[in-house]
Amino acid sequence: MAGSERTVVWFRRDLRIDDNPALAAAARDGAVLPVFIWCPADEGQFYPGRCSRWWLKQSLPHLSQSLESLGCPLVLIRAESTLEALLRCIDSVGATRLVYNHLYDPVSLVRDDKIRKELSALGISIQSFNGDLLYEPWEIYDDSGLAFTTFNMYWEKCMELPIDISPSLAPWKLVPVPGLESVRSCSVDDLGLESSKDEESSNALLRRAWSPGWRNAEKMLEEFVSHGLLEYSKHGMKVEGATTSLLSPYLHFGEVSVRKVYQLVRMQQIKWENEGTSEAEESIHFFMRSIGLREYSRYLCFNFPFTHEKSLLGNLKHYPWKVDEERFKSWRQGMTGYPLVDAGMRELWATGWTHNRIRVIISSFAVKFLLIPWTWGMKYFWDVLLDADLESDILGWQYISGSLPDGHELSRLDNPEVQGQKYDPDGVYVRTWIPELARMPTEWIHHPWDAPSCILEVAGVELGFNYPKPIVELHIARECLDDAISTMWQLDTAEKLAELDGEVVEDNLSNIKTFDIPKVVLRETSPCALPIDQRVPHASSNDHNLKSKVLKASNRSSICVDMIRSSKMEATSSVANSPVSRKRSYCETAFHVPSYSSSAEVHSHIQDHGGSLVGPSRYLLQEAGRNCVDEVEDSSTADSGSSISRQRKAA
């Protein structure tokens, strides 16, 4: 060893041995104490959701086994205070240094700054490293020294700079600190990552699809580069099947470094260029863009740390969000009456995962159709996603809600029917996740409300009973969105006038209640059973009023209020036996029903069988108590679905 220093290595979201700068530095300089601290109190409102905690529970033993094979086991600690736990570890072994890799989300930035100041004041040496990004956020600014607020300009600047992609070598041996036995370590079960039997039963489904751990992450990366990268740009238009890299949860927990991802992709690119494989260029471009979006999400959080609760663009502070918990509940349950949206939400409930294109569609629907506060959607994604990543979550929801200079236009309203025809033209995805519509002909699968009654009867669909009618019609949604934007600009003008008189106008989001989202458990029920409703936290009537001080002279447009209609409510990969194929195989529904591609087939079936068919057995989601956000990407400038214009509404 080059030194005799005693160092505490603080693992967080860098659960790997290979290319771990903090671990490599500690191993190089002397004896080490690897520590992982689970402190729910420090997480606050962003306490990880069920799926995310399941992943962590599987990954920690994998890391511990690897560290132990190198000579030093991982110490697991459940604590009420991360700072106090670190101090106990340092005192127990007489350590003089603490090392860790950077994190960039708002919660971690505050906590890390506090810990650095406290320990430095006690004479403890603190060193932190870049183990998560290609570029540190403080390295990229414009010519005036200001932070970029558009992705394209940010990424162009990044591409002009050199990248150090040489990974830190994994240590071949670790020397444990003397006195290691005096540090109290608990088991991974004692961390309390699975809080109930219901969670354990739900998580059993996840084991069939995913294999957490840093070695499994490297296998997944190599498999994607070898088999999936070449077709990546084509698969971006498909929402069924395993059409993405599936690397986002591994990247979030730091089981594979972004430097290694970049290195392998560039090596493959050079290989294809030498072979003359020109069709790979577009796929490389789109994949590197997705890596860039992940970098940009950390960049925004670091430079604008308020973006988890406020819009980046100031004019949206007056946007009249609808604090409607019933609509929010219908959206979460996949009961909006729009098949593609509902399929996406049900897949999200059941698996903690959905294609990034579907994430764009369902989040856009919540914000633009239902006018639900984007912060509610962001928090829900954080609670249920397997790859929940706060920085990417913030970027995605700000982008969709028009809160970024280069985000979706605030007036843009995408038609879910057209989006379904574009991204799920055969209806495979919808039929997988909405078994009520499994027998609907393809021509009606994305707009069953337009289907003739005879088609609905044979398909076993009764709108308003076993599948809801649309929660809001397209033209009504268009009118409400336009009225909301009009009100926003009136309030913005009123604020400017009020400022002249010294008044202060509040941000509408500051008056909207933030509440915890119920966790859900996937259970198989009988075909006739109805889903038990998810619990929605009670809100007092005062919470439903958005309070903003405005001049009495300003005229405020009335916002349309849509009546919510009452309602009762993946294909396997081509790579057999691979983690990718297992990812999708567990979520296929266990039933076989005929599907129809045209009305002619339906009429033929009526003549052959005469009568409607019994609905298939299906999975339903059920509430199981309370629970205290892959990046959202729209990789092209084209609409993800046809935008509903004011003229179309009038027609």
Side-chain angles (χ1 to χ4, degrees):
M1 288 293 169
S4 57
E5 194 160 19
R6 299 183 183 185
T7 304
V8 173
V9 183
W10 182 21
F11 281 90
R12 286 103 65 80
R13 294 203 299 269
D14 50 354
L15 307 180
R16 63 182 184 271
I17 302 297
D18 192 29
D19 191 23
N20 189 320
L23 179 63
R28 184 173 58 248
D29 296 337
V32 301
L33 174 64
V35 173
F36 178 86
I37 300 171
W38 177 245
C39 182
D42 280 357
E43 305 298 336
Q45 64 171 317
F46 294 109
Y47 179 76
R50 173 183 63 84
C51 294
S52 186
R53 285 183 280 111
W54 170 84
W55 189 286
L56 183 59
K57 185 177 180 180
Q58 311 310 308
S59 185
L60 287 173
H62 190 98
L63 174 65
S64 181
Q65 185 178 8
S66 299
L67 288 170
E68 194 162 3
S69 67
L70 296 176
C72 192
L74 177 66
V75 174
L76 300 177
I77 300 175
R78 181 182 174 96
E80 296 298 323
S81 167
T82 301
L83 175 60
E84 292 178 2
L86 286 172
L87 283 172
R88 285 197 298 270
C89 291
I90 291 170
D91 292 340
S92 297
V93 299
T96 58
R97 184 171 66 150
L98 172 71
V99 298
Y100 56 86
N101 293 312
H102 296 149
L103 294 176
Y104 308 93
D105 63 273
V107 176
S108 298
L109 287 173
V110 173
R111 178 187 58 209
D112 293 358
D113 182 65
K114 177 183 177 181
I115 288 175
R116 175 181 288 274
K117 290 178 179 178
E118 292 282 349
L119 295 186
S120 296
L122 296 174
I124 305 298
S125 173
I126 308 293
Q127 280 186 282
S128 56
F129 302 85
N130 176 14
D132 189 53
L133 296 174
L134 298 174
Y135 307 94
E136 290 284 23
W138 50 85
E139 296 174 348
I140 312 297
Y141 293 103
D142 63 15
D143 295 337
S144 302
L146 301 177
F148 290 102
T149 55
T150 60
F151 170 72
N152 286 338
M153 295 182 66
Y154 163 81
W155 195 232
E156 287 173 6
K157 182 69 173 181
C158 289
M159 292 295 95
E160 295 174 0
L161 302 177
I163 303 177
D164 180 14
I165 59 172
S166 54
S168 304
L169 295 177
W172 63 274
K173 184 179 180 181
L174 295 175
V175 176
V177 294
L180 175 62
E181 62 280 356
S182 63
V183 181
R184 295 184 59 183
S185 178
C186 66
S187 67
V188 69
D189 289 330
D190 292 335
L191 292 179
L193 296 174
E194 288 180 317
S195 57
S196 67
K197 291 296 183 182
D198 286 334
E199 284 194 355
E200 292 180 14
S201 62
S202 298
N203 293 341
L205 295 170
L206 300 176
R207 289 190 194 90
R208 297 171 55 185
W210 298 93
S211 299
W214 71 275
R215 291 192 183 277
N216 295 322
E218 293 186 348
K219 293 177 183 177
M220 181 69 81
L221 173 60
E222 292 169 0
E223 180 181 319
F224 168 70
V225 172
S226 300
H227 301 102
L229 181 58
L230 186 61
E231 302 291 324
Y232 185 77
S233 60
K234 296 180 182 178
H235 287 167
M237 298 294 289
K238 300 177 181 178
V239 296
E240 81 281 356
T243 57
T244 65
S245 68
L246 303 180
L247 290 173
S248 56
Y250 297 100
L251 283 168
H252 171 74
F253 287 99
E255 296 173 340
V256 64
S257 73
V258 70
R259 281 192 295 263
K260 187 161 190 175
V261 174
Y262 185 90
Q263 183 184 46
L264 288 185
V265 170
R266 286 304 189 199
M267 290 174 62
Q268 187 68 39
Q269 182 183 23
I270 294 172
K271 177 183 176 182
W272 282 334
E273 288 176 351
N274 293 336
E275 295 173 350
T277 310
S278 58
E279 61 269 23
E281 183 177 349
E282 186 179 13
S283 289
I284 294 289
H285 169 75
F286 279 118
F287 183 73
M288 290 311 302
R289 180 182 171 86
S290 68
I291 293 296
L293 285 167
R294 181 180 182 274
E295 298 271 315
Y296 186 54
S297 70
R298 273 96 176 124
Y299 181 82
L300 278 184
C301 275
F302 179 81
N303 288 287
F304 305 98
F306 59 85
T307 48
H308 67 292
E309 57 187 0
K310 293 183 180 180
S311 303
L312 186 63
L313 294 181
N315 63 283
L316 281 176
K317 68 187 293 185
H318 302 301
Y319 193 80
W321 303 104
K322 285 190 176 180
V323 187
D324 192 327
E325 295 178 2
E326 287 301 315
R327 286 192 169 194
F328 184 45
K329 178 174 63 178
S330 298
W331 175 73
R332 296 198 321 265
Q333 289 180 325
M335 295 284 287
T336 68
Y338 288 92
L340 187 64
V341 174
D342 292 344
M345 294 306 297
R346 295 187 191 190
E347 182 188 25
L348 181 60
W349 282 357
T351 69
W353 173 271
T354 189
H355 191 286
N356 53 7
R357 179 63 61 180
I358 292 294
R359 299 186 194 195
V360 171
I361 292 170
I362 60 181
S363 56
S364 178
F365 186 89
V367 170
K368 302 297 183 64
F369 270 71
L370 306 181
L371 304 184
I372 291 172
W374 65 267
T375 51
W376 284 14
M378 183 194 72
K379 180 60 167 62
Y380 183 67
F381 269 29
W382 172 257
D383 285 344
V384 300
L385 278 171
L386 182 72
D387 59 343
D389 186 271
L390 187 55
E391 299 96 321
S392 297
D393 224 5
I394 292 170
L395 174 63
W397 282 91
Q398 291 248 6
Y399 177 84
I400 288 299
S401 64
S403 302
L404 299 178
D406 56 348
H408 278 189
E409 292 183 6
L410 189 57
S411 60
R412 171 175 166 176
L413 191 71
D414 293 331
N415 187 337
E417 176 187 338
V418 176
Q419 290 174 319
Q421 294 167 352
K422 182 177 182 180
Y423 298 114
D424 186 29
D426 299 324
V428 175
Y429 179 73
V430 167
R431 291 189 182 94
T432 299
W433 293 105
I434 308 183
E436 305 98 293
L437 303 180
R439 298 187 182 88
M440 283 295 293
T442 300
E443 62 182 291
W444 305 108
I445 190 70
H446 293 295
H447 54 119
W449 54 86
D450 289 331
S453 58
C454 62
I455 302 294
L456 293 173
E457 182 179 356
V458 173
V461 177
E462 187 175 347
L463 295 178
F465 180 71
N466 63 352
Y467 186 71
K469 296 177 181 179
I471 191 171
V472 55
E473 295 182 6
L474 299 180
H475 70 279
I476 297 296
R478 176 76 267 174
E479 289 178 355
C480 288
L481 181 60
D482 288 345
D483 289 340
I485 294 173
S486 175
T487 298
M488 179 192 74
W489 287 119
Q490 290 185 38
L491 294 175
D492 187 66
T493 302
E495 179 192 27
K496 291 179 173 59
L497 295 174
E499 287 175 351
L500 297 177
D501 295 337
E503 273 194 84
V504 177
V505 181
E506 297 182 58
D507 187 335
N508 278 353
L509 277 177
S510 66
N511 293 295
I512 295 177
K513 185 186 62 168
T514 300
F515 48 76
D516 298 330
I517 307 300
K519 57 191 175 183
V520 292
V521 177
L522 187 68
R523 293 179 179 173
E524 192 171 9
T525 65
S526 62
C528 59
L530 293 176
I532 296 179
D533 218 351
Q534 285 187 301
R535 187 181 343 174
V536 177
H538 172 73
S540 64
S541 59
N542 293 333
D543 290 329
H544 289 274
N545 299 322
L546 296 179
K547 306 169 186 175
S548 293
K549 295 182 181 179
V550 297
L551 294 181
K552 295 180 180 179
S554 66
N555 295 320
R556 180 179 301 187
S557 297
S558 60
I559 302 301
C560 297
V561 179
D562 308 320
M563 298 302 294
I564 303 176
R565 292 184 170 87
S566 61
S567 55
K568 308 198 175 174
M569 57 151 155
E570 177 157 327
T572 58
S573 169
S574 58
V575 183
N577 299 322
S578 69
V580 176
S581 65
R582 290 189 291 109
K583 156 70 188 76
R584 291 295 176 185
S585 63
Y586 86 106
C587 60
E588 294 176 347
T589 50
F591 59 84
H592 302 279
V593 295
S595 61
Y596 308 101
S597 60
S598 67
S599 299
E601 292 186 27
V602 176
H603 290 295
S604 175
H605 184 90
I606 294 175
Q607 294 174 358
D608 293 340
H609 297 278
S612 59
L613 302 176
V614 178
S617 175
R618 55 185 174 270
Y619 285 104
L620 297 174
L621 293 170
Q622 185 177 13
E623 177 198 284
R626 298 291 302 276
N627 191 15
C628 294
V629 165
D630 196 282
E631 60 216 6
V632 176
E633 171 191 353
D634 194 7
S635 57
S636 66
T637 56
D639 287 357
S640 58
S642 179
S643 187
I644 304 166
S645 65
R646 190 72 172 181
Q647 288 73 21
R648 178 172 180 176
K649 182 273 302 181

